[in-house]
Coordinates of all heavy atoms in Angstrom, one line a residue:
Y1 N -7.1 25.9 -72.7 CA -7.0 25.2 -71.5 C -8.3 25.1 -70.8 O -8.8 24.0 -70.4 CB -5.9 25.8 -70.6 CG -5.9 25.4 -69.1 CD1 -6.0 24.0 -68.8 CD2 -5.9 26.3 -68.1 CE1 -6.0 23.6 -67.5 CE2 -5.8 25.9 -66.8 CZ -5.9 24.5 -66.5 OH -5.9 24.1 -65.2
H2 N -9.0 26.2 -70.7 CA -10.3 26.3 -70.1 C -11.3 25.4 -70.9 O -12.2 24.8 -70.3 CB -10.8 27.7 -69.9 CG -10.3 28.3 -68.7 ND1 -10.9 29.4 -68.0 CD2 -9.2 28.0 -67.9 CE1 -10.1 29.7 -67.0 NE2 -9.1 28.9 -66.9
D3 N -11.2 25.5 -72.2 CA -12.1 24.7 -73.1 C -11.9 23.2 -72.8 O -12.9 22.4 -72.7 CB -11.7 24.9 -74.6 CG -12.2 26.3 -75.1 OD1 -13.1 26.9 -74.4 OD2 -11.8 26.7 -76.1
L4 N -10.6 22.8 -72.5 CA -10.4 21.3 -72.2 C -11.0 21.0 -70.9 O -11.6 19.9 -70.7 CB -8.9 21.1 -72.2 CG -8.2 21.1 -73.5 CD1 -6.7 20.9 -73.4 CD2 -8.7 20.0 -74.5
L5 N -10.9 21.9 -69.9 CA -11.6 21.6 -68.6 C -13.1 21.5 -68.8 O -13.7 20.7 -68.1 CB -11.2 22.8 -67.6 CG -9.7 22.8 -67.1 CD1 -9.5 24.0 -66.2 CD2 -9.3 21.5 -66.4
V6 N -13.6 22.4 -69.6 CA -15.1 22.3 -69.8 C -15.5 21.0 -70.5 O -16.5 20.3 -70.2 CB -15.6 23.5 -70.7 CG1 -17.0 23.3 -71.1 CG2 -15.4 24.8 -69.9
E7 N -14.6 20.6 -71.5 CA -14.9 19.3 -72.1 C -14.8 18.1 -71.1 O -15.5 17.1 -71.3 CB -13.9 19.0 -73.2 CG -14.0 19.9 -74.5 CD -12.9 19.7 -75.5 OE1 -12.2 18.7 -75.4 OE2 -12.8 20.6 -76.4
A8 N -14.0 18.3 -70.1 CA -13.9 17.3 -69.0 C -15.0 17.3 -68.0 O -15.2 16.4 -67.2 CB -12.6 17.4 -68.3
G9 N -15.9 18.4 -68.1 CA -17.1 18.4 -67.2 C -17.3 19.6 -66.4 O -18.4 19.7 -65.8
L10 N -16.3 20.5 -66.3 CA -16.5 21.7 -65.5 C -17.3 22.8 -66.4 O -17.3 22.7 -67.6 CB -15.2 22.3 -65.1 CG -14.4 21.5 -64.1 CD1 -13.1 22.3 -63.8 CD2 -15.1 21.3 -62.8
S11 N -17.9 23.7 -65.7 CA -18.4 24.9 -66.4 C -17.3 25.9 -66.5 O -16.2 25.7 -65.9 CB -19.6 25.5 -65.6 OG -19.1 26.1 -64.4
Y12 N -17.5 26.9 -67.4 CA -16.4 27.9 -67.5 C -16.1 28.6 -66.2 O -15.0 28.9 -65.9 CB -16.8 28.9 -68.6 CG -16.5 28.4 -70.0 CD1 -17.5 27.9 -70.8 CD2 -15.2 28.3 -70.5 CE1 -17.2 27.4 -72.1 CE2 -14.9 27.8 -71.7 CZ -15.9 27.4 -72.5 OH -15.7 26.9 -73.8
D13 N -17.2 28.9 -65.4 CA -17.0 29.5 -64.1 C -16.2 28.6 -63.2 O -15.3 29.1 -62.4 CB -18.3 29.9 -63.5 CG -19.0 31.1 -64.2 OD1 -18.3 31.8 -64.9 OD2 -20.2 31.3 -64.0
Q14 N -16.5 27.4 -63.2 CA -15.8 26.4 -62.4 C -14.4 26.3 -62.8 O -13.5 26.1 -62.0 CB -16.5 25.0 -62.4 CG -17.9 25.0 -61.7 CD -18.6 23.7 -61.9 OE1 -18.5 23.1 -62.9 NE2 -19.4 23.4 -60.9
A15 N -14.1 26.3 -64.1 CA -12.8 26.2 -64.6 C -11.9 27.4 -64.1 O -10.8 27.3 -63.7 CB -12.8 26.2 -66.1
A16 N -12.5 28.6 -64.1 CA -11.8 29.8 -63.6 C -11.6 29.7 -62.1 O -10.5 30.0 -61.6 CB -12.6 31.0 -63.9
E17 N -12.6 29.1 -61.4 CA -12.4 29.0 -59.9 C -11.3 27.9 -59.6 O -10.5 28.1 -58.7 CB -13.7 28.5 -59.3 CG -13.7 28.4 -57.8 CD -15.1 28.0 -57.2 OE1 -16.0 27.6 -58.0 OE2 -15.2 28.2 -56.0
F18 N -11.3 26.9 -60.4 CA -10.3 25.8 -60.2 C -8.9 26.4 -60.5 O -7.9 26.2 -59.8 CB -10.5 24.7 -61.2 CG -9.4 23.7 -61.2 CD1 -9.3 22.7 -60.2 CD2 -8.5 23.6 -62.2 CE1 -8.3 21.8 -60.2 CE2 -7.5 22.7 -62.3 CZ -7.4 21.8 -61.2
D19 N -8.8 27.3 -61.5 CA -7.5 27.9 -61.8 C -7.0 28.8 -60.7 O -5.8 28.8 -60.3 CB -7.7 28.8 -63.1 CG -6.6 28.6 -64.1 OD1 -5.7 27.8 -63.9 OD2 -6.6 29.4 -65.0
D20 N -7.9 29.5 -60.0 CA -7.6 30.3 -58.9 C -7.1 29.4 -57.7 O -6.1 29.8 -57.0 CB -8.7 31.2 -58.4 CG -9.1 32.2 -59.4 OD1 -8.2 32.6 -60.2 OD2 -10.2 32.7 -59.4
L21 N -7.7 28.3 -57.5 CA -7.3 27.4 -56.4 C -5.9 26.9 -56.6 O -5.1 26.8 -55.6 CB -8.2 26.2 -56.4 CG -9.6 26.5 -55.9 CD1 -10.5 25.2 -56.1 CD2 -9.6 26.8 -54.4
L22 N -5.5 26.7 -57.9 CA -4.1 26.2 -58.1 C -3.0 27.2 -57.9 O -1.8 26.9 -57.7 CB -4.0 25.6 -59.5 CG -4.8 24.4 -59.9 CD1 -4.4 23.9 -61.2 CD2 -4.8 23.4 -58.8
A23 N -3.4 28.5 -57.7 CA -2.5 29.6 -57.6 C -2.1 29.8 -56.1 O -1.2 30.6 -55.8 CB -3.0 30.8 -58.1
V24 N -2.7 29.0 -55.2 CA -2.3 29.2 -53.8 C -0.9 28.9 -53.5 O -0.2 28.1 -54.2 CB -3.2 28.3 -52.8 CG1 -4.7 28.6 -53.1 CG2 -2.9 26.8 -53.0
G25 N -0.3 29.6 -52.5 CA 1.1 29.3 -52.1 C 1.2 28.2 -51.2 O 0.2 27.6 -50.7
E26 N 2.5 27.8 -50.9 CA 2.7 26.6 -50.1 C 2.2 26.8 -48.7 O 1.7 25.9 -48.0 CB 4.2 26.4 -50.0 CG 4.6 25.1 -49.3 CD 6.1 24.8 -49.4 OE1 6.7 25.3 -50.2 OE2 6.5 24.0 -48.5
D27 N 2.1 28.0 -48.2 CA 1.6 28.3 -46.8 C 0.1 28.3 -46.8 O -0.5 28.4 -45.7 CB 2.2 29.6 -46.3 CG 3.7 29.6 -46.1 OD1 4.2 28.5 -45.9 OD2 4.3 30.7 -46.2
D28 N -0.5 28.3 -47.9 CA -2.0 28.4 -48.0 C -2.7 27.1 -48.5 O -3.8 27.1 -48.9 CB -2.4 29.6 -48.9 CG -1.8 30.9 -48.4 OD1 -1.8 31.1 -47.2 OD2 -1.3 31.6 -49.3
L29 N -2.0 26.0 -48.4 CA -2.6 24.7 -48.9 C -3.8 24.3 -48.1 O -4.7 23.6 -48.6 CB -1.5 23.6 -48.8 CG -0.4 23.7 -49.9 CD1 0.6 22.6 -49.6 CD2 -1.0 23.5 -51.3
D30 N -3.9 24.8 -46.8 CA -5.1 24.5 -46.0 C -6.3 25.1 -46.7 O -7.5 24.6 -46.4 CB -4.9 25.0 -44.6 CG -3.9 24.2 -43.8 OD1 -3.6 23.1 -44.2 OD2 -3.5 24.7 -42.7
E31 N -6.2 26.1 -47.5 CA -7.4 26.7 -48.2 C -8.0 25.6 -49.1 O -9.2 25.6 -49.3 CB -7.0 27.9 -49.0 CG -6.6 29.1 -48.1 CD -6.2 30.3 -49.0 OE1 -6.5 30.3 -50.2 OE2 -5.6 31.2 -48.4
L32 N -7.1 24.8 -49.7 CA -7.6 23.7 -50.6 C -8.4 22.7 -49.8 O -9.4 22.2 -50.3 CB -6.5 23.1 -51.4 CG -5.6 24.0 -52.2 CD1 -4.5 23.2 -52.9 CD2 -6.4 24.8 -53.1
V33 N -7.9 22.4 -48.6 CA -8.6 21.4 -47.8 C -9.9 21.9 -47.3 O -10.9 21.2 -47.4 CB -7.7 21.1 -46.5 CG1 -8.4 20.1 -45.6 CG2 -6.3 20.5 -46.9
E34 N -10.0 23.2 -47.0 CA -11.2 23.8 -46.6 C -12.2 23.9 -47.8 O -13.4 23.6 -47.6 CB -10.9 25.2 -46.1 CG -12.2 25.9 -45.6 CD -11.9 27.3 -45.0 OE1 -10.7 27.6 -44.9 OE2 -12.8 28.1 -44.8
F35 N -11.7 24.2 -49.0 CA -12.6 24.3 -50.1 C -13.2 22.9 -50.4 O -14.4 22.8 -50.7 CB -11.8 24.8 -51.3 CG -12.6 24.7 -52.6 CD1 -13.5 25.8 -53.0 CD2 -12.5 23.6 -53.5 CE1 -14.2 25.7 -54.1 CE2 -13.3 23.6 -54.7 CZ -14.1 24.6 -55.0
A36 N -12.3 21.9 -50.5 CA -12.8 20.5 -50.9 C -13.6 19.9 -49.8 O -14.6 19.2 -50.1 CB -11.6 19.7 -51.3
G37 N -13.2 20.0 -48.5 CA -13.8 19.4 -47.4 C -13.8 17.9 -47.5 O -14.8 17.2 -47.0
T38 N -12.8 17.3 -48.1 CA -12.7 15.8 -48.2 C -11.4 15.3 -47.6 O -10.4 16.0 -47.6 CB -12.8 15.4 -49.7 OG1 -11.6 15.9 -50.4 CG2 -14.0 16.0 -50.4
D39 N -11.5 14.0 -47.2 CA -10.3 13.4 -46.7 C -9.2 13.2 -47.7 O -8.0 13.3 -47.5 CB -10.6 12.0 -46.1 CG -11.5 12.1 -44.8 OD1 -11.5 13.1 -44.2 OD2 -12.1 11.0 -44.5
R40 N -9.7 13.1 -49.0 CA -8.7 12.8 -50.1 C -7.8 14.0 -50.2 O -6.6 13.9 -50.3 CB -9.4 12.6 -51.4 CG -8.5 12.3 -52.6 CD -9.2 12.1 -53.9 NE -8.3 11.7 -54.9 CZ -8.7 11.6 -56.2 NH1 -10.0 11.7 -56.5 NH2 -7.8 11.3 -57.1
V41 N -8.3 15.2 -50.2 CA -7.5 16.4 -50.4 C -6.7 16.6 -49.2 O -5.5 17.0 -49.2 CB -8.4 17.6 -50.8 CG1 -7.5 18.9 -50.7 CG2 -9.0 17.5 -52.1
E42 N -7.3 16.5 -48.0 CA -6.5 16.7 -46.7 C -5.4 15.7 -46.6 O -4.2 16.1 -46.3 CB -7.5 16.5 -45.5 CG -6.8 16.8 -44.2 CD -7.7 16.7 -43.0 OE1 -8.9 16.3 -43.2 OE2 -7.3 17.0 -41.9
E43 N -5.6 14.5 -46.9 CA -4.5 13.5 -46.9 C -3.4 13.8 -47.9 O -2.2 13.6 -47.7 CB -5.0 12.1 -47.1 CG -5.9 11.6 -45.9 CD -6.6 10.3 -46.2 OE1 -6.4 9.8 -47.3 OE2 -7.4 9.8 -45.3
A44 N -3.8 14.2 -49.1 CA -2.8 14.6 -50.2 C -2.0 15.8 -49.8 O -0.8 15.8 -50.0 CB -3.6 14.8 -51.5
V45 N -2.6 16.8 -49.2 CA -1.9 18.0 -48.7 C -0.9 17.6 -47.7 O 0.3 18.0 -47.7 CB -2.8 19.1 -48.3 CG1 -2.1 20.1 -47.5 CG2 -3.6 19.7 -49.4
T46 N -1.3 16.8 -46.7 CA -0.4 16.3 -45.7 C 0.8 15.5 -46.2 O 1.9 15.7 -45.8 CB -1.2 15.5 -44.6 OG1 -2.2 16.3 -44.0 CG2 -0.2 15.0 -43.5
N47 N 0.5 14.6 -47.2 CA 1.5 13.8 -47.8 C 2.5 14.7 -48.5 O 3.7 14.5 -48.4 CB 0.9 12.8 -48.7 CG 1.9 11.9 -49.5 OD1 2.1 12.0 -50.7 ND2 2.7 11.1 -48.7
L48 N 2.0 15.7 -49.3 CA 2.9 16.6 -50.0 C 3.8 17.3 -49.1 O 5.0 17.5 -49.3 CB 2.1 17.5 -50.9 CG 2.8 18.6 -51.7 CD1 3.9 18.0 -52.6 CD2 1.9 19.5 -52.4

């Protein structure tokens, strides 16, 4: 899985960091908004 993420453009460290981000719970989705700092993620979290 991490190899596929690297093939898509991430480094192995970034792939591991991305994996950790996906593990957040429903009450912690704001952490994703803070990490990304973009309207796209903020709007998506609100929509979800």
Side-chain angles (χ1 to χ4, degrees):
Y1 166 47
H2 277 202
D3 287 344
L4 290 176
L5 290 177
V6 170
E7 289 176 16
L10 295 179
S11 69
Y12 279 104
D13 287 343
Q14 289 171 333
E17 185 177 13
F18 173 78
D19 225 8
D20 290 339
L21 289 170
L22 296 194
V24 302
E26 188 175 339
D27 294 333
D28 301 317
L29 287 173
D30 288 343
E31 293 180 15
L32 304 181
V33 177
E34 183 179 349
F35 173 85
T38 64
D39 291 342
R40 181 181 183 184
V41 173
E42 183 175 6
E43 291 170 1
V45 166
T46 299
N47 178 245
L48 177 58

